[in-house]
Structures are given as structure tokens and as C-alpha cells.
Amino acid sequence: MKYLYNIITIFVLIGFVSCRKDFDFETSSGTDLRFSRDTVYLDTIFTNIGSSTYTLKVYNSTNKDIKIPTLKLAKGENSNFRLMVDGVAGKVFNNVELLAKDSMFIFVETTVDIHSLSNQKEYLYTDQIQFTSGTNSQKVELVTLVKDAIFLYPQKFADGTKETLPLDGEEIEGFFLDENDPVNENELIWTDDKPYVIYGYAAVPPNKTLEIEAGAQIHFHDNSGLLVANNGNINAVGTIQNPIIFQGDRLEPSFENTPGQWGAIWLTVGSSGNFENAIIKNATIGLLINKNQGTVNLHNLQVYNASDFGILGRVGKIRGTNVVTNNCGQAGLGCTFGGNYHFIQSTFANYWNKPNQTSVVIDNYDGTPEFAIEQALFQNCIIYGSSSESLIMNKQGSNNNFNIKFDNSLIKFTDYSNQVFGNFPYDFNNSTYFSNCLIARTPQQYRPYFKNTNKNEMMITDKAVDIIGIGNLIFAQQVPFDLLGNSRLSSPDLGAYQNIPESQ
């Protein structure tokens, strides 16, 4: 009997619960809902490229369980936005239930073909999420900016494979730029008319020159980059007002300073190049120069947020003026496997937030003449960062294969234990190698007081009283204007910038 009584009790309870009114959903009145935002701004996207996913949180602010008769995009099935509501994808939803004092997430994405909407280079695409109940309605606005672009990518073949390029004995996904392309016409001239979005590695063919004009915006997808073949050339010349910018293709603000989003600009063996008034950011290696032909000239070049090296020379020949680096996983500048390097009025900083990084690395590989440092000359430069030693030099073999000279430059090198201080190539008191240099042996000594290292604003401020105005005028005359166009002929500072008031 006791067993039978328990069964009857359970059924009575089930019947009671099934009759409870708090499991009945009332129709939303049109004022019951609150939203985490009244407008969802999806960040800028390129035409036909999907956005990231954005979140809207919807709250039932009442003490009753409600049912939303219709939740939809105002443009319905024709909308270029997409929704995910309670795990279901769609654009129109009926009878969406929401418990009292509960909330739900709506996920929003979009892909827009700008050519179906406008002949403009940019188009502000909008819609609404509408929550309707009879004559009552609540809404959340949706907004995204769509940019037109020129897309460059390897050809895809019938068997599903893609076009490749030979590189160092391997094949990488890529293609040669074509001056008679049937779609893009001359791909060896890049202008500021539209942004360029590159998939795979775009390559400058042998004996051809890629001309990049002022204001051009180049965006690289993941595992993409730019190659210059043997006897090929790149000539990227911007202006101070309209620099050329190389960066990743993620346009969300959260990716603004994210390192390692794309591969590298790679000048392969026998190539040549010129970069002036350009910014390279968020790469794995910003600029890789490998046994180039002639000298690669860098002027007013900024390289930031490289997950490996900002500028990496391998048996390179580089002359740089007003060059700035910061926030690089290994080093801002690598002069490796020997080569010939000359930098004037440049700032090699590194405030990467992890250890085992530095600002400048110099090495001659195994010390043989093939890999000799023919010259590593730094004049009126700043070599500084968050690590203890901002200059790392690995010398092998004879000193004759390691020709270094630092003139009127600031170098941070603490070496608290004096393990290498005073020994070649770190004999900082030897004027043959270090002439009129400031060696910061503590974090407080000769601080440059950069404006904002987190934002890559590497101007020295007026707090840097120990280093203001101590640049050598003879070196400064070779680079009479700083990276911002300010004259340095009257009282030159070290580095790529003349100092600025701290308040600016």
C-alpha cells in the first residue's frame, strides 16, 4: 500500500505542476524588452567578405513569462544580415519565448556585395531587428560600413588545387602579378583608389617593378604576403600626409595591434626595393630582405607588431633613415648572416610584453667571409626597449668579419653581472666601435620617455632631458627632416623624431 501511495502522490504533483500558470507565456506588450545596446555597430568589412560575429543581449524585464510573436530583420529574407536566435539560424522567427527576468543572446553577422547596392567605394549598410507584437514594436538598429576592394589571389584549378610559387625549394600558395590581367588590368601599379586584399603570396615577377603609390592600403589575409623575385623590384613611395600602409585584413578595432596576422614582405635573393613613408604592421616578419641586389633604401618607415622580426636582413644590404620599430616578438631589427647595414636617425625600440626579446640583433653566422658583417653602422640612433639588453651581438670567428660602429647613439645595455661588458663586441669604451654613445646601464639612465609605447608613439618627450639636442649635426644634415617633417638642423635629437612637449 505504501508503494501505491507514493505513485499516486507523484502523479498528483505532476498534474499540479502542469496546471501552474507560470508556465503560460503571455504575448509581449511591446515594452517588456530591454537590450544591451540600441544599435549594433558591426565593424567595417570588405565587400563579399563575412564579418565577425557580434552579440546582442535581450532581457525580459518583467515578472511574467512572455512570448514574442515575431522577431525578424526588417528587410526579411532579403537582408544581408544573418541572425542566430537560441541556436537557430534565420532572418524571421515566430513565437520566441523568454522567461520572466531571463535573457537571451542574439548573434549577428553580415556579408555584403557592395556592387549590388551602390557604385560607391564605401557604403553604409543598415537594417533593424524588430520585436513585434500586434501594433506594438521594439527595435535594435544594425549598421556596418562596407568597403569596395581589389582582390588578388591565386587561381583555383578544376581539381581543387591552387596556383603555387617556387620558394626555397618548396611550393607556396601564391601567384605572379600580371600587368595585363583580364580583370584587374595592370596589377603592377597599386593606387589609393581602392584597398587591396591579398590571399596567398603575391609575387613581383623577375625584371618587373611593382609601383605602390601614396595612400595605397594593402591588406593581407592569414598566411599571405608579398614576394619580390630575383631581379624584381618594389618601389613603395608614400608621403608624410598619405603613407602607404601594409596590414592584415581584419578591420575590427580589436585587431588593430594584433601581431602575426599575415606573413611578410619578402625581398628574395637578387631583388631590390625602396620604401618611403610607409607603415608595416601586424605581420610575422614585417620586411624580410635576403641577399638583395644593390641597396634597399628605407626612409620614414615604421614597422610595428611583428610576431617575429620587424625588419630582418639576411646577408642584406640596407640603408635606413627615420626608421622606427616597436613591439616585435624577437627584435625590431635583425642584421643576420652578415651583410651591410647603415642606419641614420632611427629608433629601434621594443616593448613586446614577453621576455627574450630585444631591439637589435647583429650576427655573422659561422664567422666565415661569406657571412661577414661588412658594416653595421648606426648614427644618431636610439636602441632601447623593455628588455635588459636592447642590443644583442653574436660574433663568430675573426673580429675582422664583424665590422660594427655606433656613433652618437643611445643604447640600453644593463648587464648587471658584467658578464660581457667591456669585451668585444661589447667594449663600449672603445671609440673605434662606440663613439660618443650613451649607454643606459640602468632602466632610469638616459630614458627616452617615449610618448606612448603601447600605441607605438615613439616620439621622445621633453622629459628626456639627458638626450635632447645631443645629435651630431653632420649626421642630421644627411636627414634634415624628422619622420613628421620637422626640421632637425638647429638642434638635432637622437632617433627618428625631434622631441615633442609631453602634453602633445
Side-chain angles (χ1 to χ4, degrees):
M1 288 295 292
K2 184 177 181 181
Y3 177 72
L4 179 60
Y5 172 79
N6 289 338
I7 293 176
I8 293 172
T9 302
I10 291 172
F11 276 105
V12 169
L13 289 173
I14 292 173
F16 174 75
V17 171
S18 65
C19 294
R20 285 180 56 184
K21 288 188 176 181
D22 59 358
F23 278 83
D24 294 334
F25 286 83
E26 298 183 18
T27 301
S28 171
S29 67
T31 60
D32 297 333
L33 303 177
R34 289 189 303 106
F35 309 104
S36 58
R37 60 183 88 180
D38 56 12
T39 303
V40 178
Y41 294 97
L42 285 76
D43 292 309
T44 303
I45 59 171
F46 290 116
T47 181
N48 288 318
I49 301 297
S51 71
S52 295
T53 302
Y54 295 80
T55 303
L56 172 69
K57 196 170 185 180
V58 182
Y59 302 90
N60 177 0
S61 58
T62 73
N63 293 316
K64 59 186 179 182
D65 302 330
I66 62 174
K67 178 171 59 180
I68 306 166
T70 306
L71 189 164
K72 67 176 183 176
L73 290 163
K75 296 178 181 177
E77 296 296 336
N78 294 321
S79 178
N80 288 305
F81 289 101
R82 301 181 298 276
L83 304 180
M84 179 78 73
V85 178
D86 278 346
V88 179
K91 299 184 180 184
V92 178
F93 303 84
N94 296 313
N95 298 320
V96 178
E97 298 174 345
L98 188 57
L99 296 174
K101 298 297 183 181
D102 201 359
S103 62
M104 67 177 176
F105 288 100
I106 297 177
F107 300 102
V108 187
E109 297 177 341
T110 188
T111 304
V112 181
D113 180 1
I114 194 173
H115 304 108
S116 67
L117 303 171
S118 168
N119 59 3
Q120 303 177 59
K121 298 176 186 176
E122 294 185 353
Y123 184 82
L124 195 66
Y125 184 73
T126 63
D127 201 346
Q128 296 176 344
I129 305 177
Q130 296 180 340
F131 304 80
T132 61
S133 177
T135 60
N136 297 316
S137 178
Q138 291 179 270
K139 64 183 180 181
V140 172
E141 303 288 343
L142 302 177
V143 180
T144 191
L145 181 64
V146 188
K147 284 180 175 286
D148 197 4
I150 296 171
F151 293 88
L152 303 174
Y153 48 86
Q155 180 181 354
K156 188 173 183 178
F157 302 112
D159 61 359
T161 61
K162 291 184 179 179
E163 189 176 1
T164 60
L165 293 169
L167 183 67
D168 288 348
E170 298 181 1
E171 295 289 323
I172 64 168
E173 188 175 298
F175 57 98
F176 280 112
L177 297 167
D178 185 355
E179 55 192 338
N180 295 300
D181 184 80
V183 175
N184 300 318
E185 299 181 347
N186 191 350
E187 294 178 334
L188 290 172
I189 299 178
W190 293 358
T191 71
D192 67 345
D193 184 51
K194 297 178 183 179
Y196 293 80
V197 182
I198 298 173
Y199 289 77
Y201 274 83
V204 181
N207 303 311
K208 299 291 183 180
T209 296
L210 170 62
E211 296 283 352
I212 306 179
E213 298 178 358
Q217 302 273 332
I218 297 95
H219 299 264
F220 298 95
H221 195 61
D222 185 29
N223 295 319
S224 298
L226 179 61
L227 296 177
V228 185
N230 188 14
N231 292 317
N233 179 58
I234 181 172
N235 189 40
V237 180
T239 66
I240 292 175
Q241 295 75 22
N242 291 294
I244 297 165
I245 301 180
F246 303 89
Q247 60 188 315
D249 66 346
R250 298 295 299 270
L251 304 183
E252 305 94 313
S254 59
F255 282 84
E256 175 69 19
N257 294 308
T258 302
Q261 295 181 41
W262 54 283
I265 300 173
W266 191 341
L267 277 67
T268 63
V269 175
S271 63
S272 58
N274 178 44
F275 294 82
E276 184 173 341
N277 291 301
I279 300 171
I280 304 172
K281 61 180 185 176
N282 305 340
T284 300
I285 298 176
L287 186 58
L288 173 55
I289 301 170
N290 187 14
K291 207 171 185 179
N292 50 293
Q293 182 178 348
T295 299
V296 173
N297 291 295
L298 312 177
H299 178 63
N300 285 8
L301 175 68
Q302 303 170 65
V303 187
Y304 303 128
N305 313 326
S307 58
D308 200 336
F309 282 87
I311 302 169
L312 177 59
R314 290 177 174 171
V315 200
K317 297 177 183 177
I318 305 173
R319 185 180 192 273
T321 53
N322 287 347
V323 174
V324 182
T325 66
N326 186 38
N327 195 32
C328 300
Q330 291 199 45
L333 171 67
C335 305
T336 65
F337 290 83
N340 192 307
Y341 309 92
H342 184 188
F343 291 95
I344 311 172
Q345 298 286 168
S346 294
T347 299
F348 299 104
N350 199 359
Y351 286 82
W352 184 263
N353 59 6
K354 295 179 182 178
N356 301 320
Q357 48 85 3
T358 189
S359 299
V360 174
V361 171
I362 303 173
D363 80 65
N364 63 342
Y365 189 47
D366 61 3
T368 59
E370 179 184 1
F371 300 108
I373 292 290
E374 298 173 4
Q375 173 183 259
L377 177 58
F378 296 80
Q379 297 168 323
N380 281 6
C381 290
I382 294 175
I383 301 173
Y384 202 94
S386 57
S387 63
S388 298
E389 285 80 39
S390 291
L391 173 64
I392 301 297
M393 294 184 284
N394 298 311
K395 183 196 73 70
Q396 301 294 327
S398 169
N399 292 356
N400 295 329
N401 288 341
F402 206 84
N403 296 301
I404 59 169
K405 182 65 182 290
F406 297 83
D407 279 314
N408 282 84
S409 294
L410 165 63
I411 303 168
K412 181 181 178 183
F413 196 90
T414 55
D415 188 29
Y416 292 113
S417 60
N418 287 318
Q419 290 182 335
V420 297
F421 206 96
N423 300 317
F424 184 82
Y426 296 107
D427 42 354
F428 295 109
N429 294 322
N430 189 330
S431 60
T432 301
Y433 309 112
F434 300 90
S435 176
N436 297 314
C437 288
L438 301 177
I439 309 301
R441 299 204 63 182
T442 71
Q444 299 302 319
Q445 190 177 24
Y446 305 126
R447 284 182 61 185
Y449 287 96
F450 294 120
K451 182 180 178 181
N452 192 325
T453 59
N454 292 328
K455 295 182 178 180
N456 295 318
E457 296 174 345
M458 311 310 295
M459 310 83 170
I460 62 173
T461 59
D462 52 8
K463 291 179 65 176
V465 293
D466 292 338
I467 65 172
I468 290 175
I470 68 168
N472 183 297
L473 185 57
I474 295 175
F475 303 145
Q477 288 172 341
Q478 299 180 57
V479 196
F481 299 97
D482 78 352
L483 197 148
L484 298 176
N486 301 310
S487 174
R488 56 165 54 104
L489 292 180
S490 60
S491 180
D493 294 328
L494 302 181
Y497 297 98
Q498 287 292 98
N499 79 92
I500 62 169
E502 187 180 10
S503 59
Q504 288 188 9

